[in-house]
Amino acid sequence: MNRIRIRSTASLAVLAATFAFGHAASASAADNLSVSDTAVTVSGAEGADDATAADETAAQDTTDHSGLTEIVVTATKRETNLQRTPIAISVMAPEAMKNRHVQSLMDLADGAVPSLRVAPFESRQSALTVGIRGIVPFDANQTARDQGVGVYIDGVYLGRQQGLNAGLFDAQRIEILRGPQGTLFGRNTEGGAVSIVTKQPSGEFGGRIVAGLGNFGSYNGEAHVDLPSIANVAFKLDGIVQHQNATVSNPLPGATGWNYHNRVGGRITGLWKPADGLSVEISYDQAKDENTPFYSQLINYNPLGRAVGTYVGTTLTCPPPATSCIAPLSPLVQVHADRQTVAEIGVPQQPSVDRTHGLAGTIKFKVSPDLELRSITAWRGVDAEQWDNSGGAHRTIFAPNANFSRYSLSNLRQRQFSQELQAVGSLTDLDYVIGLYYFTENVREFAATPSTNRWNADGTNYTINDARTWEVANWARQRDSHAVAHSYAAFAQATWTPVETLHLTVGGRYTKDKREGALTKVQNRVVNFPFSFDKSRFDPMAIVAWDAADGVNLYAKYSTGYRAGGANSRSQTFAPFNPEEVKAYEVGAKLDLLDRRMRLNLAAYMMDRKNTQIDFDNVDIVPTSPTFNLHTEETSNAPGTSKIRGIEAELTLRPIENVTLGASYAYTSTDVPATLNPFLSTPTTPVFTKVFVVYTPEHAASAYLDYEIPFGSSDAKVKFHIDANYNSSQYSFQNEDVKAEASFIVNGRIAIADLPLSDGGQKLTLAAWGRNLLNESHIFRRSNANNSSLGAYANFNAPRTFGFDATINF
């Protein structure tokens, strides 16, 4: 059953009062408006008045303020007008991130961009699952596995799920490229790509400082400083801190609660322009993300209505005439069908820690007005320490004097290097991109699952086990694996314009992937299960685009992509699986209408995917079992063709100068053929199980309103923003026919912006923001796997958060 739970609306009253105050100050319409929306059409962007930055990365304002502004994107490796780029692209600009209080990619999980799906892996914020258009992996959180959507920072691919939830460093925009990007972006972009573009140094002194406070003990701070250019060298410094206390309290003294985070990071960027047409940019960033998972609740007990046994000593005795029965609950364990705020049983829980760092260098050389050569070189790494004790007694059956509360521990170290060379040029009626690419990574991970708590004889009390058990040096390792990957690629894409209104694009990419590794420990036993993978492929692409009229651009597109093959380190044998590949057929329309006061973008697509990677997993929850707490997982390639069909619509309206409205919608239909279930099959009797695509609602929609009015006699203004996001119910496990709940999340922000502080141009902005203003409660992840032995467990979304911040621009 789909339930949408709404709490009190006190936050709405606070925002409304602030808005009323601003409206009373002035009721006249704004003379000048520049606001941003969250989906494919972004009306303006912060930093667009900086000509140097705009040339490279900024969204540019090229129309008058009475209509919607044009947006420049780099999805085709060159700066192009969003509306004339024949790719389905959503863009989030800085104003939209501020309006939604987006501090990391996890904050996009509410459905701000309906086709983009972001979720924690398991319930852990230390690793993010990212999907687009029904291409969403279940478990890429391993040494030899990948996601189907690539995440990039300034053109550099991020190879692991771990570290993706680090705080964002002064993003100029986030581009979400929907559909396969196998030609220009390559491996692991079969669903699309998320491209984070950061602001470059401007060469002029300036910047901003942000400080804020909120509920749950939250605070945040940012400092972004541009230094003056000296000898053609400019520097930019960025620093962030983001903190929130737990939203579910842990009663164990000294332990951390759940849904806690503390993120810090810094970045320095240098830009050298030694000669006209030549630039060298070097950046280094380092970040630490400390977080705890979402709490796993027991939402029902014995849902199958089995007989309930009793313990005689340590023996479970079933009531006659039953020959089998379910274990009773401890008197301390509570069933909660709604979101908990305090756990009933305290368990050891410390924050997981992701440490990321990266060094990147980008060289651009304008050989001639029609040819630019580029080099992007990057070294990156992530070190992840996972501490997940979110289940407590909710995922383990009760037994007298038995251990419980599985502490899922993992230690991962990844290092990667990438090099990309591009030639971006134009000839008469022809634009082209040619490139070479190399990527390599080295990953090692080992894991353990000790139990932290122990029941007494009747379940009326418990003790904490020896903490030395979960010290890294003492781990009884369930698995230990390592893998090395190498990927080589050559690509080219060209667009020919035989007549002014017709554009024909063809492209292709050849890729050779190699990966090898070994599983060296299973259940704390030394083993040697080697794995190797060596395959090559070619991904073609073709587009026909037609400028049917002024402001009317139509296109049809064929594209392909793939997700690399690998091996499953949870399989106990490092069992390999093949790459999955997709062919996509898409038609779209991009329309600027009503004197550019209305923008409507439409896309319809069909995607056929072969060798879909499906995970079947099992966790032993029986305390007396010799494999208690063992997580076993097998990956199978689905037979036949998985079918994904979808429609997307995005609308932006500016009916008057001080009002902007927007709405976006995505319909996604997925069907995966029944797949061989390795846990149910025998060598003589194969069993095929119906499987599902995770975190992909059939219907998803988002809408927003931005309203702006002058404040006082200066250039200050009052800005009001509210957005609402709906997602229908969706699966959260590939091999479980049970859906989580639908969601409806409302966010808002009110700001008094650009209050002058001095004649030197310093300005102050004061803002109140709220996420999940209605305090809606829904299950985003649910498992019925334990229904026959205990009950279903689930993870709920975060409660309402709100706060106030002040920004000084100088």
Side-chain angles (χ1 to χ4, degrees), residues 217-362:
S218 69
Y219 57 84
N220 63 282
E222 300 178 40
H224 309 284
V225 180
D226 264 306
L227 299 178
S229 177
I230 300 175
N232 297 320
V233 178
F235 287 95
K236 184 173 185 290
L237 307 175
D238 300 293
I240 60 170
V241 58
Q242 303 165 356
H243 177 91
Q244 176 190 280
N245 290 340
T247 61
V248 178
S249 298
N250 188 342
L252 182 67
T256 309
W258 292 275
N259 190 27
Y260 158 95
H261 71 250
N262 186 74
R263 310 183 192 111
V264 296
R267 174 185 172 104
I268 180 171
T269 306
L271 179 61
W272 179 38
K273 295 185 176 182
D276 290 341
L278 176 62
S279 67
V280 179
E281 180 182 302
I282 298 176
S283 64
Y284 176 78
D285 63 85
Q286 188 167 317
K288 181 171 72 170
D289 174 20
E290 300 173 287
N291 60 77
T292 57
F294 288 90
Y295 190 56
S296 294
Q297 300 180 203
L298 187 66
I299 58 173
N300 58 45
Y301 168 66
N302 193 18
L304 302 183
R306 298 183 62 198
V308 179
T310 57
Y311 281 102
V312 178
T314 58
T315 302
L316 181 65
T317 302
C318 299
T323 57
S324 66
C325 54
I326 191 172
L329 280 182
S330 156
L332 300 181
V333 176
Q334 301 172 7
V335 174
H336 288 269
D338 211 338
R339 182 172 53 216
Q340 285 184 247
T341 58
V342 180
E344 70 271 27
I345 293 175
V347 301
Q349 174 69 73
Q350 67 188 74
S352 298
V353 182
D354 285 0
R355 293 179 173 88
T356 59
H357 64 270
L359 175 66
T362 301

Side-chain angles (χ1 to χ4, degrees), residues 90-103:
S90 299
V91 181
M92 180 166 282
E95 189 75 11
M97 296 179 216
K98 287 192 298 185
N99 285 339
R100 291 175 171 267
H101 200 64
V102 173
Q103 297 182 312

Side-chain angles (χ1 to χ4, degrees), residues 13 62 69 103 115 244 266 278 317 323 407-408 410 427 525 531 581 603 616 692:
T62 57
T69 57
Q103 297 182 312
S115 292
Q244 176 190 280
L278 176 62
T317 302
T323 57
Y407 211 174
S408 181
S410 170
L427 301 171
R525 295 179 290 107
F531 155 79
E581 56 188 46
F616 296 88
F692 310 94

Side-chain angles (χ1 to χ4, degrees), residues 638-793:
T641 301
S642 300
K643 298 184 182 297
I644 304 174
R645 308 290 186 259
I647 299 172
E648 298 162 337
E650 296 177 306
L651 173 69
T652 307
L653 292 171
R654 181 173 288 178
I656 56 177
E657 289 186 17
N658 59 336
V659 175
T660 303
L661 305 110
S664 51
Y665 169 77
Y667 166 79
T668 310
S669 170
T670 63
D671 181 64
V672 184
T675 304
L676 183 71
N677 189 325
F679 292 110
L680 302 179
S681 299
T682 67
T684 57
T685 308
V687 176
F688 288 82
T689 302
K690 180 61 180 173
V691 292
F692 310 94
V693 174
V694 297
Y695 299 120
T696 302
E698 185 176 18
H699 303 281
S702 179
Y704 72 93
L705 165 68
D706 286 328
Y707 178 46
E708 178 179 316
I709 56 176
F711 182 81
S713 59
S714 65
D715 291 332
K717 55 190 76 74
V718 174
K719 294 183 175 182
F720 173 82
H721 168 89
I722 191 166
D723 63 76
N725 311 275
Y726 170 77
N727 299 283
S728 61
S729 59
Q730 54 205 279
Y731 297 100
S732 46
F733 288 82
Q734 288 183 321
N735 63 330
E736 289 193 45
D737 189 5
V738 58
K739 287 186 176 183
E741 296 176 338
S743 63
F744 181 74
I745 302 297
V746 177
N747 308 305
R749 184 175 189 263
I750 292 177
I752 303 176
D754 299 331
L755 292 166
L757 294 179
S758 70
D759 294 336
Q762 293 86 356
K763 294 183 178 181
L764 172 67
T765 295
L766 301 173
W769 59 269
R771 290 182 59 83
N772 190 12
L773 285 172
L774 303 182
N775 204 22
E776 181 262 18
S777 173
H778 69 271
I779 293 170
F780 72 83
R781 178 176 176 267
R782 172 177 177 155
S783 174
N784 286 359
N786 300 334
N787 273 5
S788 63
S789 56
L790 179 61
Y793 71 86

